[in-house]
Amino acid sequence: MDYQSLTELISNKYGLRFTALANDDEVPKQGLALKPGQTPFIVLNPAKPVRIDAQCFSFADAIRDLPGFGPAFFHHDEQWVGFTLEKVSDRAIENIIDYAFKAAVNAGKEAVHQQQYVVLPENDTEEKYQAQAIPQPTKRRPQPTNPAVPKQIEEALVAYDYSLLPGLRRDKNFYDQGQILADYQDDFDQPVPLKRYFPTYHMLSVDQLRTYFAWRTKLRQGVFTPVSTSYAYIYIYELLNNIGVASPMAGFKQLTEFRNEYAGHFDGKMGDYLDRWLRDYVLYYRLDHALANKAFAAEIAADRDYHVLLHPDEYDATDLVAVFKRHATYLDHSRLYQKSADHFTALLKVIWQEILNLPDKEGQKYFDHHVASQQLTTNYFFGNAVFYFHPQQQMAEYPLDSVRRYRFKGRQYYCLSMRAQPNEKQNLNALLHEVDRLVRLRFNLGRPLKARWLPAVILNAIDQGIRTYQRQLKEAQRPKAHIDLGGINQIRQDAAVTQESLLTDEERQAIKEDREELVAAQKTTPAPAPSQPQPTAPAAEPVSMNLDADQAFLLRALLMGEPWKDYLKKHHLMVSIVADQINEALFDEIGDDVIEFNQDDQPAIIEDYRTDLEKMFSDKE
């Protein structure tokens, strides 16, 4: 159990809330008391590990001997017991808090849960006494003393049931009173401020109630006026309980509108609470997935990323790389990726599929241990809200998407979802770095990178993925054209007819004369001897390293330290453009830029590649 779950348990079961205590040392502490101003029976420090003291009175000695419990952290009184939240089971925590609560209610005396009869002592009088049942407490029905109290407010005040158990009293009474006041309208024009935690109708004076309902009346009419934050929370609690709401779908719409239009006018936490409560609202009232997609937009987006990573064959390589870029930063600075994004993207998909296809040996799946794994978390419906839980016609499970589903058990619900590993970003950056490094080695691109540690099986999968991608490239480069040779003659005949129809009389006569001259020349020119080889034209010299003459001149001049400015000026060339062209032309061979500009904006050879360039020039010559 964590601190958040503990506060929700106490709020939902006992209707209580931790409050900050005055510190006599540097350790911030919070206390839990039955009423404001009373001595707390639970004291804790919320920083991890969460240390807790519980007042257990005469049973403290026995409890301190139990596993996980010991002396108090913040008290020297023997009535207190100390324990660390993370080291004690949830059941033990619930039991110790329940005991401390009951002990506080009974002022340290043993709690008597039920007392149906009382036996009076016998005496010598003639009157006989015998056991009689004590009547159970009933609803207190105070009569309002102010005759100006509106009838519906009076009815709601009288309806408050004091006989309910403390853990149920606040929420059930709020729900019942809210049903009475669901359609009440007011025009009270003397607003009274309100500042209360977990505000309910029962906490408010008549003027405060009228202030709230006058504000709610205008709000329902689309008119927003500033009001105390506590009034806004009452309105939210009403919507969560479907008080004055036609249907759950209408309630979801009203909560969303209030979240978007008004929550920003109050404290900053209200928006965060509403986001969480909207998700609970969808699950509790079993709304359809169209509304779930709105409430769980962030969760669904995160789930889709993990679905893409787990099923890359269902998506384009660009979708896969987009996920990697959201979960890691390496590709933002990778020169190889930036220069050859298409090839790197396709290659990364092949490599990632190889990694996913590795057999699971001793539970060492790369994705589960280095990226994300399925985890089960426990939550309470509408934690930190005033909400009367009454079971709905529940489904056993609510599947949100392919990797997230919810299961229900009373007011608790369980979420099975993918949760990122603590070092997910660093792990993916290391993987992408090794992909970059091994690709450079295989294709002889750029400077070698320093290796980062990865399991040998993952390095082998990367190497196998590179080999697979090379085979795919060769297969794709094979000609796939299919030519129908049977139609070529007909095409030639049709073309000849078309050409003949387009010629003029003069063109036809010229063609005829050319043919006659060619025939006459062939008759007068002797054929060469069969053994004599036919002369051929000399082959054109290829341009060195795919560079044209201007680019080759500048590169050679920079290598040899020779002047180049007059040449570029004479040929009307800009040095920055020629340098960029050289970098692009040599990237396939070098894998990086070979020319950079110094502080004086003058081009210079990057020294790491000088030897390679000089060798390439010597080989060409």
PDB file of all heavy atoms in Angstrom, residues 464-492:
ATOM      1  N   GLN A 464      21.800  -9.966 -36.926  1.00  0.00           N
ATOM      2  CA  GLN A 464      20.959 -10.775 -37.800  1.00  0.00           C
ATOM      3  C   GLN A 464      19.956  -9.897 -38.550  1.00  0.00           C
ATOM      4  O   GLN A 464      19.650 -10.133 -39.729  1.00  0.00           O
ATOM      5  CB  GLN A 464      20.216 -11.828 -36.980  1.00  0.00           C
ATOM      6  CG  GLN A 464      19.354 -12.777 -37.805  1.00  0.00           C
ATOM      7  CD  GLN A 464      20.164 -13.551 -38.831  1.00  0.00           C
ATOM      8  OE1 GLN A 464      21.258 -14.013 -38.533  1.00  0.00           O
ATOM      9  NE2 GLN A 464      19.633 -13.672 -40.049  1.00  0.00           N
ATOM     10  N   GLY A 465      19.442  -8.877 -37.877  1.00  0.00           N
ATOM     11  CA  GLY A 465      18.514  -7.958 -38.537  1.00  0.00           C
ATOM     12  C   GLY A 465      19.170  -7.207 -39.677  1.00  0.00           C
ATOM     13  O   GLY A 465      18.551  -6.979 -40.717  1.00  0.00           O
ATOM     14  N   ILE A 466      20.439  -6.809 -39.495  1.00  0.00           N
ATOM     15  CA  ILE A 466      21.167  -6.120 -40.563  1.00  0.00           C
ATOM     16  C   ILE A 466      21.332  -7.048 -41.769  1.00  0.00           C
ATOM     17  O   ILE A 466      21.140  -6.644 -42.923  1.00  0.00           O
ATOM     18  CB  ILE A 466      22.531  -5.639 -40.052  1.00  0.00           C
ATOM     19  CG1 ILE A 466      22.337  -4.571 -38.963  1.00  0.00           C
ATOM     20  CG2 ILE A 466      23.369  -5.075 -41.192  1.00  0.00           C
ATOM     21  CD1 ILE A 466      23.632  -4.156 -38.282  1.00  0.00           C
ATOM     22  N   ARG A 467      21.665  -8.310 -41.515  1.00  0.00           N
ATOM     23  CA  ARG A 467      21.822  -9.268 -42.604  1.00  0.00           C
ATOM     24  C   ARG A 467      20.490  -9.483 -43.338  1.00  0.00           C
ATOM     25  O   ARG A 467      20.452  -9.558 -44.571  1.00  0.00           O
ATOM     26  CB  ARG A 467      22.337 -10.600 -42.063  1.00  0.00           C
ATOM     27  CG  ARG A 467      23.736 -10.529 -41.452  1.00  0.00           C
ATOM     28  CD  ARG A 467      24.109 -11.861 -40.804  1.00  0.00           C
ATOM     29  NE  ARG A 467      25.365 -11.790 -40.103  1.00  0.00           N
ATOM     30  CZ  ARG A 467      26.548 -11.993 -40.673  1.00  0.00           C
ATOM     31  NH1 ARG A 467      26.614 -12.295 -41.968  1.00  0.00           N
ATOM     32  NH2 ARG A 467      27.664 -11.902 -39.966  1.00  0.00           N
ATOM     33  N   THR A 468      19.436  -9.575 -42.586  1.00  0.00           N
ATOM     34  CA  THR A 468      18.110  -9.756 -43.198  1.00  0.00           C
ATOM     35  C   THR A 468      17.762  -8.560 -44.069  1.00  0.00           C
ATOM     36  O   THR A 468      17.217  -8.710 -45.175  1.00  0.00           O
ATOM     37  CB  THR A 468      17.046  -9.945 -42.105  1.00  0.00           C
ATOM     38  OG1 THR A 468      17.387 -11.083 -41.310  1.00  0.00           O
ATOM     39  CG2 THR A 468      15.664 -10.153 -42.714  1.00  0.00           C
ATOM     40  N   TYR A 469      18.063  -7.380 -43.590  1.00  0.00           N
ATOM     41  CA  TYR A 469      17.760  -6.180 -44.372  1.00  0.00           C
ATOM     42  C   TYR A 469      18.589  -6.143 -45.654  1.00  0.00           C
ATOM     43  O   TYR A 469      18.089  -5.738 -46.712  1.00  0.00           O
ATOM     44  CB  TYR A 469      18.034  -4.940 -43.522  1.00  0.00           C
ATOM     45  CG  TYR A 469      17.736  -3.636 -44.237  1.00  0.00           C
ATOM     46  CD1 TYR A 469      16.435  -3.266 -44.538  1.00  0.00           C
ATOM     47  CD2 TYR A 469      18.773  -2.773 -44.619  1.00  0.00           C
ATOM     48  CE1 TYR A 469      16.155  -2.075 -45.185  1.00  0.00           C
ATOM     49  CE2 TYR A 469      18.505  -1.586 -45.270  1.00  0.00           C
ATOM     50  CZ  TYR A 469      17.193  -1.246 -45.552  1.00  0.00           C
ATOM     51  OH  TYR A 469      16.918  -0.065 -46.208  1.00  0.00           O
ATOM     52  N   GLN A 470      19.841  -6.561 -45.593  1.00  0.00           N
ATOM     53  CA  GLN A 470      20.670  -6.604 -46.806  1.00  0.00           C
ATOM     54  C   GLN A 470      20.077  -7.547 -47.841  1.00  0.00           C
ATOM     55  O   GLN A 470      20.042  -7.236 -49.043  1.00  0.00           O
ATOM     56  CB  GLN A 470      22.093  -7.047 -46.440  1.00  0.00           C
ATOM     57  CG  GLN A 470      22.911  -5.975 -45.731  1.00  0.00           C
ATOM     58  CD  GLN A 470      24.308  -6.459 -45.374  1.00  0.00           C
ATOM     59  OE1 GLN A 470      24.460  -7.490 -44.720  1.00  0.00           O
ATOM     60  NE2 GLN A 470      25.312  -5.721 -45.811  1.00  0.00           N
ATOM     61  N   ARG A 471      19.592  -8.699 -47.392  1.00  0.00           N
ATOM     62  CA  ARG A 471      18.960  -9.630 -48.337  1.00  0.00           C
ATOM     63  C   ARG A 471      17.704  -9.018 -48.948  1.00  0.00           C
ATOM     64  O   ARG A 471      17.429  -9.203 -50.142  1.00  0.00           O
ATOM     65  CB  ARG A 471      18.618 -10.933 -47.617  1.00  0.00           C
ATOM     66  CG  ARG A 471      19.835 -11.776 -47.253  1.00  0.00           C
ATOM     67  CD  ARG A 471      19.424 -13.194 -46.904  1.00  0.00           C
ATOM     68  NE  ARG A 471      18.565 -13.236 -45.737  1.00  0.00           N
ATOM     69  CZ  ARG A 471      19.009 -13.363 -44.495  1.00  0.00           C
ATOM     70  NH1 ARG A 471      20.319 -13.455 -44.256  1.00  0.00           N
ATOM     71  NH2 ARG A 471      18.175 -13.405 -43.472  1.00  0.00           N
ATOM     72  N   GLN A 472      16.947  -8.288 -48.136  1.00  0.00           N
ATOM     73  CA  GLN A 472      15.748  -7.650 -48.662  1.00  0.00           C
ATOM     74  C   GLN A 472      16.094  -6.596 -49.717  1.00  0.00           C
ATOM     75  O   GLN A 472      15.388  -6.455 -50.728  1.00  0.00           O
ATOM     76  CB  GLN A 472      14.959  -7.013 -47.522  1.00  0.00           C
ATOM     77  CG  GLN A 472      14.349  -8.020 -46.566  1.00  0.00           C
ATOM     78  CD  GLN A 472      13.612  -7.358 -45.412  1.00  0.00           C
ATOM     79  OE1 GLN A 472      13.601  -6.120 -45.270  1.00  0.00           O
ATOM     80  NE2 GLN A 472      12.983  -8.171 -44.564  1.00  0.00           N
ATOM     81  N   LEU A 473      17.181  -5.858 -49.476  1.00  0.00           N
ATOM     82  CA  LEU A 473      17.600  -4.859 -50.462  1.00  0.00           C
ATOM     83  C   LEU A 473      17.985  -5.519 -51.786  1.00  0.00           C
ATOM     84  O   LEU A 473      17.602  -5.056 -52.865  1.00  0.00           O
ATOM     85  CB  LEU A 473      18.778  -4.050 -49.921  1.00  0.00           C
ATOM     86  CG  LEU A 473      18.479  -2.984 -48.861  1.00  0.00           C
ATOM     87  CD1 LEU A 473      19.759  -2.266 -48.456  1.00  0.00           C
ATOM     88  CD2 LEU A 473      17.474  -1.960 -49.386  1.00  0.00           C
ATOM     89  N   LYS A 474      18.747  -6.600 -51.728  1.00  0.00           N
ATOM     90  CA  LYS A 474      19.150  -7.287 -52.949  1.00  0.00           C
ATOM     91  C   LYS A 474      17.943  -7.831 -53.687  1.00  0.00           C
ATOM     92  O   LYS A 474      17.863  -7.762 -54.919  1.00  0.00           O
ATOM     93  CB  LYS A 474      20.122  -8.420 -52.609  1.00  0.00           C
ATOM     94  CG  LYS A 474      21.483  -7.943 -52.118  1.00  0.00           C
ATOM     95  CD  LYS A 474      22.397  -9.119 -51.806  1.00  0.00           C
ATOM     96  CE  LYS A 474      23.761  -8.633 -51.318  1.00  0.00           C
ATOM     97  NZ  LYS A 474      24.673  -9.776 -50.988  1.00  0.00           N
ATOM     98  N   GLU A 475      16.996  -8.363 -52.949  1.00  0.00           N
ATOM     99  CA  GLU A 475      15.787  -8.896 -53.575  1.00  0.00           C
ATOM    100  C   GLU A 475      14.985  -7.780 -54.243  1.00  0.00           C
ATOM    101  O   GLU A 475      14.436  -7.959 -55.336  1.00  0.00           O
ATOM    102  CB  GLU A 475      14.927  -9.589 -52.515  1.00  0.00           C
ATOM    103  CG  GLU A 475      13.672 -10.257 -53.051  1.00  0.00           C
ATOM    104  CD  GLU A 475      13.980 -11.447 -53.941  1.00  0.00           C
ATOM    105  OE1 GLU A 475      15.077 -12.020 -53.813  1.00  0.00           O
ATOM    106  OE2 GLU A 475      13.118 -11.787 -54.782  1.00  0.00           O
ATOM    107  N   ALA A 476      14.935  -6.627 -53.585  1.00  0.00           N
ATOM    108  CA  ALA A 476      14.172  -5.510 -54.153  1.00  0.00           C
ATOM    109  C   ALA A 476      14.838  -4.940 -55.399  1.00  0.00           C
ATOM    110  O   ALA A 476      14.168  -4.370 -56.270  1.00  0.00           O
ATOM    111  CB  ALA A 476      14.009  -4.406 -53.100  1.00  0.00           C
ATOM    112  N   GLN A 477      16.180  -5.071 -55.507  1.00  0.00           N
ATOM    113  CA  GLN A 477      16.909  -4.515 -56.660  1.00  0.00           C
ATOM    114  C   GLN A 477      16.845  -5.406 -57.894  1.00  0.00           C
ATOM    115  O   GLN A 477      17.223  -4.983 -58.980  1.00  0.00           O
ATOM    116  CB  GLN A 477      18.374  -4.279 -56.269  1.00  0.00           C
ATOM    117  CG  GLN A 477      18.547  -3.154 -55.266  1.00  0.00           C
ATOM    118  CD  GLN A 477      19.957  -3.067 -54.718  1.00  0.00           C
ATOM    119  OE1 GLN A 477      20.813  -3.905 -55.057  1.00  0.00           O
ATOM    120  NE2 GLN A 477      20.214  -2.078 -53.881  1.00  0.00           N
ATOM    121  N   ARG A 478      16.388  -6.624 -57.754  1.00  0.00           N
ATOM    122  CA  ARG A 478      16.270  -7.484 -58.916  1.00  0.00           C
ATOM    123  C   ARG A 478      15.171  -6.986 -59.837  1.00  0.00           C
ATOM    124  O   ARG A 478      14.109  -6.570 -59.376  1.00  0.00           O
ATOM    125  CB  ARG A 478      15.951  -8.919 -58.476  1.00  0.00           C
ATOM    126  CG  ARG A 478      17.092  -9.594 -57.732  1.00  0.00           C
ATOM    127  CD  ARG A 478      16.710 -10.986 -57.312  1.00  0.00           C
ATOM    128  NE  ARG A 478      17.799 -11.633 -56.590  1.00  0.00           N
ATOM    129  CZ  ARG A 478      17.712 -12.844 -56.048  1.00  0.00           C
ATOM    130  NH1 ARG A 478      16.579 -13.532 -56.155  1.00  0.00           N
ATOM    131  NH2 ARG A 478      18.750 -13.360 -55.416  1.00  0.00           N
ATOM    132  N   PRO A 479      15.404  -7.016 -61.170  1.00  0.00           N
ATOM    133  CA  PRO A 479      14.378  -6.512 -62.098  1.00  0.00           C
ATOM    134  C   PRO A 479      13.124  -7.365 -62.023  1.00  0.00           C
ATOM    135  O   PRO A 479      13.178  -8.590 -61.992  1.00  0.00           O
ATOM    136  CB  PRO A 479      15.061  -6.616 -63.471  1.00  0.00           C
ATOM    137  CG  PRO A 479      16.142  -7.625 -63.292  1.00  0.00           C
ATOM    138  CD  PRO A 479      16.604  -7.505 -61.879  1.00  0.00           C
ATOM    139  N   LYS A 480      12.004  -6.680 -61.989  1.00  0.00           N
ATOM    140  CA  LYS A 480      10.733  -7.377 -61.889  1.00  0.00           C
ATOM    141  C   LYS A 480       9.848  -7.149 -63.123  1.00  0.00           C
ATOM    142  O   LYS A 480       8.708  -7.574 -63.141  1.00  0.00           O
ATOM    143  CB  LYS A 480       9.968  -6.881 -60.651  1.00  0.00           C
ATOM    144  CG  LYS A 480      10.702  -7.111 -59.330  1.00  0.00           C
ATOM    145  CD  LYS A 480      10.810  -8.571 -58.997  1.00  0.00           C
ATOM    146  CE  LYS A 480      11.296  -8.806 -57.576  1.00  0.00           C
ATOM    147  NZ  LYS A 480      12.595  -8.226 -57.300  1.00  0.00           N
ATOM    148  N   ALA A 481      10.396  -6.445 -64.151  1.00  0.00           N
ATOM    149  CA  ALA A 481       9.563  -6.085 -65.309  1.00  0.00           C
ATOM    150  C   ALA A 481       9.220  -7.324 -66.127  1.00  0.00           C
ATOM    151  O   ALA A 481      10.032  -8.235 -66.311  1.00  0.00           O
ATOM    152  CB  ALA A 481      10.293  -5.076 -66.177  1.00  0.00           C
ATOM    153  N   HIS A 482       8.011  -7.375 -66.680  1.00  0.00           N
ATOM    154  CA  HIS A 482       7.559  -8.457 -67.556  1.00  0.00           C
ATOM    155  C   HIS A 482       7.191  -7.854 -68.908  1.00  0.00           C
ATOM    156  O   HIS A 482       6.324  -6.981 -68.989  1.00  0.00           O
ATOM    157  CB  HIS A 482       6.348  -9.161 -66.954  1.00  0.00           C
ATOM    158  CG  HIS A 482       5.759 -10.207 -67.860  1.00  0.00           C
ATOM    159  ND1 HIS A 482       6.397 -11.396 -68.113  1.00  0.00           N
ATOM    160  CD2 HIS A 482       4.609 -10.205 -68.577  1.00  0.00           C
ATOM    161  CE1 HIS A 482       5.661 -12.122 -68.950  1.00  0.00           C
ATOM    162  NE2 HIS A 482       4.567 -11.406 -69.239  1.00  0.00           N
ATOM    163  N   ILE A 483       7.875  -8.307 -69.944  1.00  0.00           N
ATOM    164  CA  ILE A 483       7.662  -7.749 -71.292  1.00  0.00           C
ATOM    165  C   ILE A 483       6.960  -8.779 -72.147  1.00  0.00           C
ATOM    166  O   ILE A 483       7.385  -9.935 -72.248  1.00  0.00           O
ATOM    167  CB  ILE A 483       9.011  -7.360 -71.940  1.00  0.00           C
ATOM    168  CG1 ILE A 483       9.720  -6.328 -71.038  1.00  0.00           C
ATOM    169  CG2 ILE A 483       8.800  -6.818 -73.330  1.00  0.00           C
ATOM    170  CD1 ILE A 483      11.096  -5.960 -71.532  1.00  0.00           C
ATOM    171  N   ASP A 484       5.899  -8.357 -72.791  1.00  0.00           N
ATOM    172  CA  ASP A 484       5.170  -9.231 -73.714  1.00  0.00           C
ATOM    173  C   ASP A 484       5.786  -9.087 -75.099  1.00  0.00           C
ATOM    174  O   ASP A 484       5.516  -8.140 -75.838  1.00  0.00           O
ATOM    175  CB  ASP A 484       3.687  -8.832 -73.733  1.00  0.00           C
ATOM    176  CG  ASP A 484       2.868  -9.763 -74.620  1.00  0.00           C
ATOM    177  OD1 ASP A 484       3.428 -10.776 -75.081  1.00  0.00           O
ATOM    178  OD2 ASP A 484       1.680  -9.469 -74.833  1.00  0.00           O
ATOM    179  N   LEU A 485       6.683 -10.036 -75.459  1.00  0.00           N
ATOM    180  CA  LEU A 485       7.394  -9.956 -76.741  1.00  0.00           C
ATOM    181  C   LEU A 485       6.465 -10.160 -77.925  1.00  0.00           C
ATOM    182  O   LEU A 485       6.763  -9.720 -79.043  1.00  0.00           O
ATOM    183  CB  LEU A 485       8.509 -11.007 -76.765  1.00  0.00           C
ATOM    184  CG  LEU A 485       9.583 -10.846 -75.672  1.00  0.00           C
ATOM    185  CD1 LEU A 485      10.590 -11.976 -75.772  1.00  0.00           C
ATOM    186  CD2 LEU A 485      10.263  -9.506 -75.797  1.00  0.00           C
ATOM    187  N   GLY A 486       5.358 -10.823 -77.694  1.00  0.00           N
ATOM    188  CA  GLY A 486       4.449 -11.091 -78.811  1.00  0.00           C
ATOM    189  C   GLY A 486       3.836  -9.845 -79.398  1.00  0.00           C
ATOM    190  O   GLY A 486       3.415  -9.848 -80.568  1.00  0.00           O
ATOM    191  N   GLY A 487       3.798  -8.753 -78.669  1.00  0.00           N
ATOM    192  CA  GLY A 487       3.151  -7.538 -79.182  1.00  0.00           C
ATOM    193  C   GLY A 487       4.110  -6.539 -79.777  1.00  0.00           C
ATOM    194  O   GLY A 487       3.682  -5.480 -80.241  1.00  0.00           O
ATOM    195  N   ILE A 488       5.444  -6.845 -79.735  1.00  0.00           N
ATOM    196  CA  ILE A 488       6.417  -5.854 -80.199  1.00  0.00           C
ATOM    197  C   ILE A 488       6.279  -5.595 -81.697  1.00  0.00           C
ATOM    198  O   ILE A 488       6.304  -4.451 -82.165  1.00  0.00           O
ATOM    199  CB  ILE A 488       7.842  -6.314 -79.858  1.00  0.00           C
ATOM    200  CG1 ILE A 488       8.046  -6.243 -78.339  1.00  0.00           C
ATOM    201  CG2 ILE A 488       8.875  -5.463 -80.565  1.00  0.00           C
ATOM    202  CD1 ILE A 488       9.407  -6.661 -77.884  1.00  0.00           C
ATOM    203  N   ASN A 489       6.143  -6.649 -82.506  1.00  0.00           N
ATOM    204  CA  ASN A 489       6.032  -6.479 -83.967  1.00  0.00           C
ATOM    205  C   ASN A 489       4.838  -5.626 -84.335  1.00  0.00           C
ATOM    206  O   ASN A 489       4.915  -4.761 -85.218  1.00  0.00           O
ATOM    207  CB  ASN A 489       5.944  -7.837 -84.655  1.00  0.00           C
ATOM    208  CG  ASN A 489       7.260  -8.604 -84.563  1.00  0.00           C
ATOM    209  OD1 ASN A 489       8.327  -7.989 -84.435  1.00  0.00           O
ATOM    210  ND2 ASN A 489       7.179  -9.930 -84.616  1.00  0.00           N
ATOM    211  N   GLN A 490       3.722  -5.874 -83.668  1.00  0.00           N
ATOM    212  CA  GLN A 490       2.541  -5.091 -83.981  1.00  0.00           C
ATOM    213  C   GLN A 490       2.746  -3.623 -83.618  1.00  0.00           C
ATOM    214  O   GLN A 490       2.311  -2.721 -84.343  1.00  0.00           O
ATOM    215  CB  GLN A 490       1.335  -5.652 -83.203  1.00  0.00           C
ATOM    216  CG  GLN A 490       0.012  -4.960 -83.516  1.00  0.00           C
ATOM    217  CD  GLN A 490      -0.387  -5.113 -84.958  1.00  0.00           C
ATOM    218  OE1 GLN A 490      -0.272  -6.203 -85.537  1.00  0.00           O
ATOM    219  NE2 GLN A 490      -0.831  -4.031 -85.588  1.00  0.00           N
ATOM    220  N   ILE A 491       3.465  -3.391 -82.470  1.00  0.00           N
ATOM    221  CA  ILE A 491       3.746  -1.999 -82.065  1.00  0.00           C
ATOM    222  C   ILE A 491       4.601  -1.311 -83.119  1.00  0.00           C
ATOM    223  O   ILE A 491       4.375  -0.154 -83.486  1.00  0.00           O
ATOM    224  CB  ILE A 491       4.432  -1.981 -80.687  1.00  0.00           C
ATOM    225  CG1 ILE A 491       3.471  -2.487 -79.608  1.00  0.00           C
ATOM    226  CG2 ILE A 491       4.932  -0.590 -80.333  1.00  0.00           C
ATOM    227  CD1 ILE A 491       4.097  -2.673 -78.261  1.00  0.00           C
ATOM    228  N   ARG A 492       5.615  -2.041 -83.637  1.00  0.00           N
ATOM    229  CA  ARG A 492       6.488  -1.458 -84.658  1.00  0.00           C
ATOM    230  C   ARG A 492       5.706  -1.135 -85.923  1.00  0.00           C
ATOM    231  O   ARG A 492       5.882  -0.088 -86.554  1.00  0.00           O
ATOM    232  CB  ARG A 492       7.628  -2.430 -84.969  1.00  0.00           C
ATOM    233  CG  ARG A 492       8.661  -2.543 -83.850  1.00  0.00           C
ATOM    234  CD  ARG A 492       9.667  -3.620 -84.155  1.00  0.00           C
ATOM    235  NE  ARG A 492      10.706  -3.683 -83.122  1.00  0.00           N
ATOM    236  CZ  ARG A 492      11.619  -4.646 -83.053  1.00  0.00           C
ATOM    237  NH1 ARG A 492      11.616  -5.640 -83.943  1.00  0.00           N
ATOM    238  NH2 ARG A 492      12.526  -4.626 -82.081  1.00  0.00           N
TER     239      ARG A 492
END
